[in-house]
Coordinates of all heavy atoms in Angstrom, one line a residue:
M8 N 14.7 -12.3 29.0 CA 14.5 -11.9 27.6 C 13.0 -11.6 27.5 O 12.1 -12.4 28.0 CB 14.9 -13.1 26.7 CG 15.1 -12.6 25.3 SD 15.6 -14.0 24.3 CE 14.4 -14.0 23.0
F9 N 12.7 -10.6 26.7 CA 11.3 -10.2 26.5 C 10.6 -11.2 25.6 O 11.2 -11.5 24.5 CB 11.3 -8.8 25.9 CG 9.9 -8.3 25.7 CD1 9.3 -7.6 26.7 CD2 9.2 -8.4 24.5 CE1 8.0 -7.1 26.6 CE2 7.9 -7.9 24.3 CZ 7.3 -7.3 25.3
R10 N 9.5 -11.7 26.0 CA 8.8 -12.7 25.2 C 7.7 -12.0 24.4 O 7.0 -11.1 24.9 CB 8.2 -13.8 26.1 CG 8.1 -15.1 25.5 CD 7.7 -16.1 26.6 NE 6.5 -16.8 26.2 CZ 5.3 -16.6 26.5 NH1 5.0 -15.6 27.3 NH2 4.3 -17.3 26.1
C11 N 7.5 -12.6 23.3 CA 6.4 -12.1 22.4 C 5.1 -12.4 23.1 O 4.7 -13.6 23.3 CB 6.5 -12.8 21.1 SG 5.1 -12.6 20.0
D12 N 4.3 -11.4 23.3 CA 3.1 -11.5 24.0 C 1.9 -11.6 23.0 O 1.2 -10.6 22.6 CB 2.8 -10.3 24.9 CG 1.5 -10.5 25.7 OD1 0.9 -11.5 25.6 OD2 1.1 -9.4 26.2
M13 N 1.7 -12.8 22.4 CA 0.8 -13.0 21.3 C -0.6 -12.7 21.7 O -1.4 -12.2 20.8 CB 1.0 -14.4 20.8 CG 0.5 -14.5 19.3 SD 1.3 -13.4 18.1 CE 2.6 -14.6 17.6
A14 N -1.0 -13.0 22.9 CA -2.4 -12.8 23.4 C -2.8 -11.3 23.2 O -4.0 -11.0 23.1 CB -2.5 -13.3 24.8
T15 N -1.8 -10.4 23.4 CA -2.1 -8.9 23.3 C -1.8 -8.4 21.8 O -2.6 -7.7 21.3 CB -1.1 -8.2 24.2 OG1 -1.3 -8.7 25.5 CG2 -1.4 -6.7 24.2
V16 N -0.7 -8.9 21.3 CA -0.3 -8.4 20.0 C -1.2 -9.0 18.9 O -1.5 -8.2 18.0 CB 1.2 -8.9 19.7 CG1 1.6 -8.6 18.3 CG2 2.1 -8.3 20.7
G17 N -1.6 -10.2 19.0 CA -2.5 -10.8 17.9 C -3.7 -10.0 17.7 O -4.0 -9.5 16.6
P18 N -4.6 -9.7 18.7 CA -5.8 -9.0 18.6 C -5.5 -7.5 18.1 O -6.3 -6.9 17.3 CB -6.4 -9.0 19.9 CG -5.9 -10.2 20.5 CD -4.5 -10.4 20.1
A19 N -4.4 -7.0 18.6 CA -4.1 -5.6 18.2 C -3.8 -5.5 16.7 O -4.2 -4.6 16.0 CB -2.9 -5.1 19.0
M20 N -3.1 -6.5 16.2 CA -2.8 -6.6 14.8 C -4.0 -6.8 14.0 O -4.1 -6.2 12.9 CB -1.8 -7.7 14.5 CG -0.4 -7.2 14.5 SD 0.7 -8.5 13.9 CE 0.8 -8.0 12.3
F21 N -4.9 -7.6 14.5 CA -6.1 -8.0 13.8 C -6.9 -6.7 13.6 O -7.3 -6.4 12.4 CB -6.9 -8.9 14.6 CG -8.1 -9.4 13.9 CD1 -8.1 -10.6 13.2 CD2 -9.3 -8.7 14.0 CE1 -9.3 -11.1 12.5 CE2 -10.5 -9.2 13.3 CZ -10.4 -10.4 12.6
Q22 N -7.0 -5.9 14.6 CA -7.7 -4.6 14.5 C -7.1 -3.6 13.5 O -7.7 -2.9 12.8 CB -7.8 -3.9 15.9 CG -8.9 -4.6 16.7 CD -9.2 -3.8 17.9 OE1 -8.6 -2.8 18.2 NE2 -10.1 -4.4 18.7
F23 N -5.7 -3.7 13.5 CA -5.0 -2.8 12.7 C -5.3 -3.2 11.2 O -5.4 -2.3 10.3 CB -3.5 -2.9 12.9 CG -2.7 -1.9 12.2 CD1 -2.3 -0.7 12.8 CD2 -2.3 -2.1 10.9 CE1 -1.6 0.2 12.1 CE2 -1.5 -1.2 10.2 CZ -1.2 0.0 10.8
V24 N -5.2 -4.4 11.0 CA -5.3 -4.9 9.5 C -6.8 -4.9 9.0 O -7.0 -4.6 7.9 CB -4.8 -6.4 9.5 CG1 -5.0 -7.0 8.0 CG2 -3.3 -6.5 9.8
D25 N -7.7 -5.0 10.1 CA -9.1 -5.0 9.7 C -9.5 -3.5 9.5 O -10.2 -2.9 10.3 CB -9.9 -5.6 10.8 CG -11.4 -5.6 10.5 OD1 -11.8 -5.5 9.3 OD2 -12.2 -5.7 11.4
K26 N -9.2 -3.0 8.3 CA -9.4 -1.6 7.9 C -10.8 -1.2 8.0 O -11.1 -0.1 8.5 CB -8.8 -1.4 6.5 CG -8.0 -0.1 6.4 CD -7.4 -0.2 5.1 CE -6.7 1.1 4.7 NZ -6.3 1.1 3.3
D27 N -11.7 -2.0 7.5 CA -13.1 -1.5 7.4 C -13.9 -1.9 8.7 O -15.1 -1.6 8.9 CB -13.9 -2.1 6.2 CG -13.9 -3.6 6.1 OD1 -13.4 -4.2 7.1 OD2 -14.4 -4.1 5.2
G28 N -13.2 -2.5 9.7 CA -13.7 -2.8 11.0 C -14.9 -3.7 11.0 O -15.7 -3.7 12.0
D29 N -15.0 -4.6 10.1 CA -16.2 -5.6 10.0 C -15.8 -6.9 10.8 O -16.7 -7.8 10.8 CB -16.6 -5.9 8.6 CG -15.5 -6.7 7.8 OD1 -14.5 -6.9 8.4 OD2 -15.9 -7.2 6.7
G30 N -14.7 -7.0 11.5 CA -14.5 -8.1 12.3 C -13.9 -9.3 11.5 O -13.7 -10.4 12.1
S31 N -13.5 -9.1 10.3 CA -12.9 -10.2 9.5 C -11.9 -9.6 8.6 O -11.9 -8.4 8.2 CB -14.0 -11.0 8.7 OG -14.5 -10.1 7.7
L32 N -10.9 -10.4 8.2 CA -9.8 -9.9 7.4 C -10.0 -10.6 5.9 O -10.0 -11.8 5.9 CB -8.4 -10.3 8.0 CG -8.2 -9.9 9.4 CD1 -6.8 -10.3 9.7 CD2 -8.3 -8.4 9.6
T33 N -9.8 -9.8 4.9 CA -9.7 -10.3 3.6 C -8.3 -10.3 3.2 O -7.5 -9.7 3.8 CB -10.5 -9.4 2.5 OG1 -9.9 -8.1 2.5 CG2 -12.0 -9.3 3.0
V34 N -8.0 -11.1 2.2 CA -6.6 -11.1 1.7 C -6.1 -9.7 1.2 O -5.0 -9.4 1.4 CB -6.4 -12.3 0.6 CG1 -7.1 -11.9 -0.7 CG2 -5.0 -12.6 0.4
D35 N -7.0 -9.0 0.7 CA -6.6 -7.7 0.2 C -6.3 -6.7 1.4 O -5.3 -5.9 1.4 CB -7.8 -7.0 -0.6 CG -7.9 -7.7 -1.9 OD1 -6.9 -8.2 -2.4 OD2 -9.0 -7.6 -2.5
E36 N -7.0 -6.9 2.5 CA -6.7 -6.1 3.7 C -5.3 -6.4 4.3 O -4.6 -5.6 4.6 CB -7.8 -6.3 4.8 CG -9.1 -5.6 4.6 CD -10.1 -5.8 5.7 OE1 -10.3 -6.9 6.1 OE2 -10.8 -4.8 6.0
I37 N -5.0 -7.7 4.2 CA -3.7 -8.2 4.7 C -2.6 -7.7 3.8 O -1.6 -7.1 4.3 CB -3.7 -9.7 4.9 CG1 -4.7 -10.1 5.9 CG2 -2.2 -10.2 5.2 CD1 -4.7 -11.6 6.2
I38 N -2.7 -7.8 2.5 CA -1.7 -7.4 1.6 C -1.5 -5.9 1.6 O -0.4 -5.4 1.6 CB -2.0 -7.9 0.2 CG1 -1.7 -9.4 0.2 CG2 -1.2 -7.2 -0.9 CD1 -2.2 -10.2 -1.0
D39 N -2.6 -5.2 1.8 CA -2.6 -3.7 1.9 C -1.8 -3.3 3.2 O -0.9 -2.5 3.2 CB -4.0 -3.2 2.0 CG -4.0 -1.7 1.9 OD1 -3.5 -1.2 0.9 OD2 -4.5 -1.0 2.8
A40 N -2.1 -4.1 4.3 CA -1.4 -3.7 5.6 C 0.1 -4.0 5.5 O 0.9 -3.4 6.1 CB -2.0 -4.6 6.7
M41 N 0.5 -5.1 4.7 CA 1.9 -5.5 4.6 C 2.8 -4.4 4.1 O 3.9 -4.3 4.4 CB 2.0 -6.7 3.7 CG 1.7 -8.0 4.3 SD 1.5 -9.3 3.0 CE 3.2 -9.6 2.7
G42 N 2.2 -3.5 3.2 CA 2.9 -2.5 2.6 C 3.0 -1.2 3.5 O 3.6 -0.2 3.1
Q43 N 2.3 -1.2 4.6 CA 2.3 0.0 5.4 C 3.4 0.1 6.4 O 3.6 -0.8 7.3 CB 1.0 0.1 6.2 CG -0.2 0.4 5.3 CD -1.5 0.5 6.1 OE1 -1.5 1.2 7.1 NE2 -2.5 -0.1 5.7
K44 N 4.1 1.2 6.3 CA 5.2 1.5 7.3 C 4.9 1.4 8.7 O 5.6 0.8 9.5 CB 5.8 2.9 6.9 CG 7.4 2.9 6.9 CD 7.9 4.2 6.7 CE 9.2 4.4 7.4 NZ 9.5 5.7 7.7
K45 N 3.7 1.9 9.0 CA 3.2 1.9 10.4 C 3.1 0.5 10.9 O 3.5 0.3 12.0 CB 1.8 2.6 10.4 CG 1.5 3.4 11.6 CD 0.2 4.1 11.4 CE -0.8 3.8 12.5 NZ -2.2 4.3 12.1
L46 N 2.7 -0.4 10.1 CA 2.5 -1.8 10.5 C 3.9 -2.4 10.8 O 4.1 -3.1 11.7 CB 1.7 -2.6 9.6 CG 1.5 -4.1 10.1 CD1 0.2 -4.1 11.0 CD2 1.3 -5.0 9.0
V47 N 4.8 -2.2 9.8 CA 6.1 -2.7 9.9 C 6.8 -2.2 11.2 O 7.4 -3.0 11.9 CB 7.0 -2.4 8.7 CG1 8.4 -2.8 8.8 CG2 6.4 -3.0 7.4
E48 N 6.7 -1.0 11.5 CA 7.2 -0.4 12.7 C 6.7 -1.0 13.9 O 7.3 -1.4 14.9 CB 7.0 1.1 12.8 CG 7.7 1.9 11.7 CD 9.2 1.7 11.8 OE1 9.8 1.7 12.9 OE2 9.9 1.4 10.7
F49 N 5.3 -1.3 13.9 CA 4.6 -1.9 15.0 C 5.1 -3.3 15.2 O 5.4 -3.7 16.4 CB 3.1 -1.9 14.7 CG 2.3 -2.7 15.7 CD1 2.0 -2.3 17.0 CD2 1.8 -4.0 15.4 CE1 1.3 -3.1 17.8 CE2 1.1 -4.8 16.2 CZ 0.8 -4.3 17.5
V50 N 5.2 -4.1 14.1 CA 5.7 -5.4 14.2 C 7.1 -5.5 14.8 O 7.4 -6.4 15.6 CB 5.5 -6.2 12.9 CG1 6.2 -7.5 12.9 CG2 4.1 -6.3 12.5
K51 N 8.0 -4.6 14.3 CA 9.4 -4.6 14.9 C 9.4 -4.3 16.3 O 10.2 -4.9 17.1 CB 10.2 -3.5 14.2 CG 10.6 -4.0 12.8 CD 11.5 -2.9 12.1 CE 11.9 -3.4 10.7 NZ 12.3 -2.2 9.9
G52 N 8.5 -3.4 16.8 CA 8.4 -3.0 18.2 C 7.9 -4.1 19.2 O 8.3 -4.1 20.3
V53 N 7.1 -5.1 18.7 CA 6.5 -6.0 19.6 C 7.4 -7.3 19.9 O 6.9 -8.2 20.6 CB 5.0 -6.4 19.2 CG1 4.2 -5.2 19.3 CG2 5.0 -7.0 17.8
K54 N 8.4 -7.3 19.2 CA 9.4 -8.5 19.4 C 8.7 -9.9 19.1 O 9.0 -10.8 19.9 CB 10.0 -8.4 20.8 CG 10.9 -7.2 21.0 CD 11.6 -7.2 22.3 CE 12.6 -6.0 22.4 NZ 11.9 -4.7 22.4
C55 N 8.0 -10.0 18.1 CA 7.5 -11.3 17.7 C 8.0 -11.6 16.3 O 7.5 -11.2 15.3 CB 5.9 -11.3 17.6 SG 5.1 -11.0 19.2
P56 N 9.2 -12.3 16.3 CA 9.9 -12.5 15.1 C 9.0 -13.2 14.0 O 9.2 -13.0 12.8 CB 11.1 -13.4 15.4 CG 10.9 -13.7 16.9 CD 10.0 -12.8 17.5
V57 N 8.1 -14.0 14.5 CA 7.2 -14.7 13.6 C 6.3 -13.8 12.8 O 6.2 -13.9 11.6 CB 6.4 -15.8 14.3 CG1 5.6 -15.1 15.4 CG2 5.5 -16.5 13.4
L58 N 5.9 -12.7 13.4 CA 5.1 -11.7 12.8 C 5.9 -10.9 11.7 O 5.4 -10.6 10.6 CB 4.5 -10.7 13.8 CG 3.4 -11.4 14.6 CD1 2.8 -10.3 15.6 CD2 2.2 -11.9 13.8
L59 N 7.1 -10.5 12.1 CA 7.9 -9.8 11.2 C 8.2 -10.6 9.9 O 8.2 -10.1 8.9 CB 9.3 -9.5 12.0 CG 10.2 -8.4 11.3 CD1 9.4 -7.1 11.1 CD2 11.4 -8.1 12.1
R60 N 8.5 -11.9 10.2 CA 8.7 -12.7 8.9 C 7.5 -12.8 8.1 O 7.5 -12.7 6.9 CB 9.1 -14.1 9.4 CG 10.6 -14.3 9.5 CD 11.0 -15.8 9.2 NE 10.3 -16.7 9.9 CZ 10.5 -16.9 11.3 NH1 11.5 -16.4 11.8 NH2 9.7 -17.9 11.9
L61 N 6.4 -13.0 8.8 CA 5.1 -13.2 8.1 C 4.8 -11.9 7.2 O 4.4 -12.0 6.1 CB 3.9 -13.3 9.1 CG 2.5 -13.5 8.5 CD1 2.4 -14.8 7.9 CD2 1.5 -13.4 9.6
F62 N 5.0 -10.8 7.7 CA 4.7 -9.5 7.1 C 5.8 -9.1 6.1 O 5.6 -8.0 5.5 CB 4.3 -8.4 8.0 CG 2.8 -8.5 8.4 CD1 2.4 -9.5 9.4 CD2 1.9 -7.9 7.8 CE1 1.1 -9.6 9.7 CE2 0.5 -8.0 8.0 CZ 0.1 -9.0 9.0
Q63 N 6.8 -9.9 6.0 CA 7.8 -9.6 5.0 C 7.8 -10.6 3.9 O 8.6 -10.6 3.0 CB 9.2 -9.5 5.6 CG 9.4 -8.2 6.4 CD 10.7 -8.2 7.1 OE1 11.3 -9.3 7.5 NE2 11.1 -7.0 7.5
E64 N 6.8 -11.4 3.9 CA 6.7 -12.5 2.9 C 6.2 -11.8 1.5 O 5.7 -10.7 1.5 CB 5.5 -13.5 3.2 CG 5.8 -14.4 4.4 CD 6.8 -15.5 3.9 OE1 7.5 -15.4 2.8 OE2 7.0 -16.5 4.7
E65 N 6.5 -12.6 0.5 CA 6.1 -12.2 -0.8 C 4.6 -12.2 -0.9 O 4.0 -13.0 -0.2 CB 6.6 -13.2 -1.8 CG 8.1 -13.2 -2.0 CD 8.6 -12.0 -2.6 OE1 7.9 -11.4 -3.5 OE2 9.8 -11.6 -2.3
E66 N 4.0 -11.4 -1.7 CA 2.5 -11.3 -1.8 C 2.0 -12.7 -2.2 O 0.9 -13.2 -1.6 CB 2.1 -10.3 -2.8 CG 0.6 -10.1 -2.9 CD 0.2 -9.0 -3.9 OE1 0.9 -8.0 -4.0 OE2 -0.9 -9.2 -4.5
S67 N 2.6 -13.5 -3.1 CA 2.1 -14.7 -3.6 C 2.1 -15.7 -2.4 O 1.1 -16.5 -2.3 CB 2.9 -15.2 -4.7 OG 4.2 -15.4 -4.3
L68 N 3.1 -15.7 -1.6 CA 3.2 -16.5 -0.4 C 2.1 -16.2 0.6 O 1.5 -17.1 1.2 CB 4.5 -16.5 0.3 CG 5.6 -17.3 -0.4 CD1 7.0 -17.0 0.3 CD2 5.4 -18.8 -0.4
M69 N 1.8 -14.9 0.8 CA 0.8 -14.5 1.7 C -0.6 -15.0 1.2 O -1.4 -15.4 2.0 CB 0.8 -13.0 1.8 CG -0.2 -12.4 2.8 SD 0.0 -13.2 4.4 CE 1.0 -12.0 5.3
R70 N -0.8 -14.9 -0.1 CA -2.1 -15.4 -0.6 C -2.2 -16.9 -0.4 O -3.3 -17.4 -0.1 CB -2.2 -15.1 -2.2 CG -2.4 -13.7 -2.4 CD -2.7 -13.4 -3.9 NE -2.7 -12.0 -4.2 CZ -3.8 -11.2 -4.0 NH1 -4.9 -11.8 -3.6 NH2 -3.8 -9.9 -4.2
K71 N -1.2 -17.6 -0.4 CA -1.2 -19.1 -0.2 C -1.5 -19.3 1.3 O -2.3 -20.2 1.7 CB 0.2 -19.7 -0.5 CG 0.1 -20.6 -1.7 CD 1.4 -21.4 -1.8 CE 1.8 -21.3 -3.3 NZ 3.2 -21.7 -3.5
A72 N -0.8 -18.6 2.2 CA -0.9 -18.7 3.6 C -2.4 -18.4 4.0 O -3.0 -19.0 4.9 CB 0.1 -17.7 4.3
F73 N -3.0 -17.4 3.3 CA -4.3 -17.0 3.6 C -5.2 -18.1 3.5 O -6.1 -18.3 4.4 CB -4.7 -15.8 2.7 CG -6.0 -15.2 3.0 CD1 -6.2 -14.2 3.9 CD2 -7.2 -15.8 2.5 CE1 -7.4 -13.6 4.2 CE2 -8.5 -15.3 2.7 CZ -8.6 -14.2 3.6
K74 N -5.1 -18.9 2.5 CA -6.0 -20.0 2.3 C -5.9 -21.0 3.4 O -6.8 -21.7 3.7 CB -5.7 -20.7 0.9 CG -6.1 -19.8 -0.2 CD -6.3 -20.6 -1.5 CE -6.6 -19.7 -2.7 NZ -5.4 -19.4 -3.5
Q75 N -4.7 -21.2 4.0 CA -4.5 -22.1 5.1 C -5.1 -21.5 6.4 O -5.6 -22.3 7.2 CB -3.0 -22.4 5.3 CG -2.5 -23.3 4.2 CD -1.0 -23.4 4.2 OE1 -0.3 -22.9 5.2 NE2 -0.4 -24.0 3.2
I76 N -5.0 -20.2 6.6 CA -5.6 -19.6 7.8 C -7.1 -19.6 7.8 O -7.7 -19.9 8.7 CB -5.1 -18.1 7.8 CG1 -3.5 -18.0 7.8 CG2 -5.6 -17.5 9.2 CD1 -3.0 -16.6 7.7
D77 N -7.6 -19.5 6.5 CA -9.1 -19.5 6.4 C -9.6 -20.9 6.3 O -9.9 -21.4 5.4 CB -9.4 -18.8 5.0 CG -10.9 -18.7 4.8 OD1 -11.7 -18.8 5.7 OD2 -11.2 -18.5 3.6
K78 N -9.7 -21.4 7.6 CA -10.0 -22.8 7.8 C -11.4 -23.2 7.1 O -11.5 -24.4 6.6 CB -10.0 -23.3 9.2 CG -8.7 -23.2 9.8 CD -7.9 -24.5 9.6 CE -6.6 -24.4 10.3 NZ -5.5 -24.9 9.5
D79 N -12.4 -22.4 7.2 CA -13.7 -22.8 6.7 C -13.9 -22.3 5.3 O -15.1 -22.3 4.7 CB -14.8 -22.3 7.6 CG -14.8 -20.8 7.8 OD1 -13.9 -20.1 7.1 OD2 -15.6 -20.3 8.6
N80 N -12.8 -21.8 4.6 CA -12.9 -21.3 3.2 C -14.0 -20.2 3.0 O -14.5 -20.3 1.9 CB -13.2 -22.5 2.3 CG -11.9 -23.3 2.0 OD1 -10.9 -22.6 1.6 ND2 -11.9 -24.5 2.1
S81 N -14.1 -19.4 3.9 CA -15.2 -18.4 3.7 C -14.7 -17.2 2.9 O -15.5 -16.3 2.5 CB -15.6 -17.9 5.1 OG -14.5 -17.3 5.8
G82 N -13.4 -17.1 2.7 CA -12.8 -16.0 2.0 C -12.4 -14.9 2.8 O -12.0 -13.8 2.4
H83 N -12.7 -15.0 4.1 CA -12.2 -14.0 5.1 C -11.8 -14.8 6.4 O -12.2 -15.9 6.7 CB -13.1 -12.9 5.3 CG -14.5 -13.4 5.7 ND1 -14.9 -13.8 6.9 CD2 -15.6 -13.4 4.9 CE1 -16.1 -14.1 6.9 NE2 -16.6 -14.0 5.7
I84 N -10.9 -14.1 7.1 CA -10.3 -14.7 8.4 C -11.0 -14.0 9.6 O -11.0 -12.8 9.6 CB -8.8 -14.4 8.3 CG1 -8.2 -15.3 7.2 CG2 -8.2 -14.9 9.7 CD1 -6.7 -15.0 7.1
D85 N -11.6 -14.8 10.4 CA -12.1 -14.1 11.7 C -11.1 -14.2 12.7 O -10.0 -14.7 12.5 CB -13.4 -14.8 12.1 CG -13.3 -16.2 12.4 OD1 -12.2 -16.6 12.8 OD2 -14.3 -16.9 12.3
E86 N -11.3 -13.6 13.9 CA -10.3 -13.4 14.9 C -9.8 -14.8 15.4 O -8.7 -15.0 15.8 CB -10.7 -12.5 16.0 CG -9.5 -12.0 16.8 CD -9.8 -10.8 17.7 OE1 -10.8 -10.0 17.4 OE2 -9.1 -10.6 18.6
D87 N -10.8 -15.8 15.6 CA -10.4 -17.1 16.0 C -9.4 -17.7 15.0 O -8.4 -18.3 15.5 CB -11.6 -18.0 16.2 CG -12.4 -17.7 17.4 OD1 -11.9 -17.0 18.3 OD2 -13.6 -18.1 17.4
E88 N -9.6 -17.7 13.8 CA -8.8 -18.3 12.8 C -7.4 -17.5 12.8 O -6.4 -18.2 12.8 CB -9.3 -18.2 11.4 CG -10.5 -19.1 11.2 CD -11.3 -18.8 9.8 OE1 -11.3 -17.7 9.4 OE2 -11.8 -19.8 9.3
W89 N -7.5 -16.2 13.0 CA -6.2 -15.4 13.1 C -5.4 -15.8 14.2 O -4.1 -16.1 14.1 CB -6.6 -14.0 13.1 CG -5.5 -13.0 13.4 CD1 -5.3 -12.3 14.5 CD2 -4.6 -12.6 12.4 NE1 -4.2 -11.4 14.3 CE2 -3.8 -11.6 13.0 CE3 -4.3 -12.9 11.1 CZ2 -2.6 -11.0 12.3 CZ3 -3.2 -12.4 10.4 CH2 -2.4 -11.4 11.1
M90 N -6.0 -16.0 15.4 CA -5.3 -16.3 16.7 C -4.8 -17.7 16.6 O -3.6 -18.0 17.0 CB -6.1 -16.1 17.9 CG -6.4 -14.6 18.2 SD -4.8 -13.5 18.2 CE -4.0 -14.1 19.7
N91 N -5.6 -18.7 16.0 CA -5.1 -20.1 16.0 C -3.9 -20.2 15.1 O -3.0 -20.9 15.3 CB -6.2 -20.9 15.3 CG -7.3 -21.3 16.3 OD1 -7.0 -21.3 17.5 ND2 -8.5 -21.6 15.8
F92 N -4.0 -19.4 14.0 CA -2.8 -19.4 13.1 C -1.6 -18.8 13.8 O -0.5 -19.4 13.7 CB -3.1 -18.5 11.8 CG -1.9 -18.2 11.0 CD1 -1.3 -19.1 10.3 CD2 -1.5 -16.9 11.0 CE1 -0.2 -18.8 9.5 CE2 -0.3 -16.5 10.3 CZ 0.3 -17.5 9.6
L93 N -1.7 -17.7 14.5 CA -0.5 -17.1 15.1 C 0.1 -18.0 16.2 O 1.3 -18.2 16.3 CB -0.9 -15.7 15.7 CG -1.2 -14.6 14.7 CD1 -1.5 -13.3 15.5 CD2 -0.1 -14.4 13.7
Y94 N -0.8 -18.6 17.0 CA -0.3 -19.5 18.0 C 0.4 -20.7 17.3 O 1.4 -21.2 17.8 CB -1.4 -20.0 18.9 CG -1.7 -18.9 20.0 CD1 -3.1 -18.5 20.1 CD2 -0.7 -18.3 20.8 CE1 -3.4 -17.5 21.1 CE2 -1.0 -17.4 21.7 CZ -2.4 -17.0 21.9 OH -2.7 -16.1 22.9
G95 N -0.2 -21.1 16.3 CA 0.4 -22.3 15.6 C 1.8 -22.0 15.0 O 2.7 -22.8 15.2
V96 N 2.0 -20.8 14.4 CA 3.3 -20.6 13.9 C 4.3 -20.2 15.0 O 5.5 -20.5 14.9 CB 3.4 -19.4 12.8 CG1 2.9 -19.9 11.5 CG2 2.6 -18.2 13.2
Q97 N 3.8 -19.6 16.1 CA 4.6 -19.3 17.2 C 5.3 -20.6 17.9 O 6.4 -20.6 18.3 CB 3.9 -18.6 18.2 CG 4.8 -17.9 19.3 CD 3.9 -17.1 20.3 OE1 2.8 -17.5 20.6 NE2 4.5 -16.1 20.9
V98 N 4.5 -21.6 17.9 CA 4.9 -22.9 18.5 C 6.1 -23.5 17.7 O 7.0 -24.1 18.3 CB 3.7 -23.9 18.6 CG1 4.2 -25.3 18.8 CG2 2.7 -23.5 19.6
K99 N 6.1 -23.2 16.4 CA 7.1 -23.7 15.6 C 8.4 -23.0 15.7 O 9.5 -23.4 15.1 CB 6.7 -23.8 14.1 CG 5.7 -24.8 13.9 CD 5.3 -24.9 12.4 CE 3.8 -25.4 12.2 NZ 3.2 -24.6 11.1
E100 N 8.4 -21.8 16.4 CA 9.6 -21.0 16.5 C 10.8 -21.8 17.0 O 10.7 -22.5 18.0 CB 9.4 -19.8 17.4 CG 8.5 -18.7 16.7 CD 9.3 -17.9 15.8 OE1 10.2 -17.1 16.2 OE2 9.2 -18.1 14.6
Ligands
CA214 CA1 -12.4 -6.5 7.2

């Protein structure tokens, strides 16, 4: 069975969502990405069910999740926080 390759998929997604390319994600960037067909297709293609679920969440849930991902409360998520979060939810699969 094809396994979700989070080490590759995680950073690729980060870059996709980081629209302005400043190396961090704001909640608006994430919510904006959630509505994009291109991202949904990408997520479906990489076979990481956890990501598909994440990006189909309600906006309000995503805002809550964002606060948990943003460990240092800086208002944006850097790549370390992003990957820690993805590995964390993947373990719970
Ligand atoms: Ca950004």
Side-chain angles (χ1 to χ4, degrees):
M8 201 178 122
F9 186 86
R10 204 171 131 266
C11 168
D12 181 13
M13 200 60 93
T15 305
V16 171
M20 263 191 100
F21 187 92
Q22 282 188 4
F23 189 96
V24 178
D25 183 17
K26 225 174 170 184
D27 61 5
D29 67 351
S31 66
L32 309 182
T33 62
V34 70
D35 289 334
E36 279 179 322
I37 294 179
I38 285 166
D39 189 56
M41 282 168 75
Q43 286 184 47
K44 219 179 149 208
K45 213 171 126 194
L46 184 85
V47 175
E48 292 302 313
F49 170 76
V50 170
K51 280 182 182 162
V53 294
K54 297 189 172 63
C55 297
V57 57
L58 291 178
L59 195 55
R60 267 211 309 282
L61 181 71
F62 277 82
Q63 284 172 341
E64 288 288 11
E65 297 289 330
E66 185 178 324
S67 59
L68 282 173
M69 182 54 95
R70 286 187 187 276
K71 250 188 230 166
F73 185 89
K74 291 202 180 96
Q75 287 168 12
I76 305 170
D77 181 20
K78 292 275 182 228
D79 61 1
N80 276 313
S81 61
H83 50 78
I84 294 173
D85 62 29
E86 199 165 334
D87 283 345
E88 287 172 330
W89 175 250
M90 291 308 292
N91 281 339
F92 165 71
L93 292 183
Y94 282 127
V96 283
Q97 192 180 28
V98 165
K99 288 184 208 143
E100 283 284 287

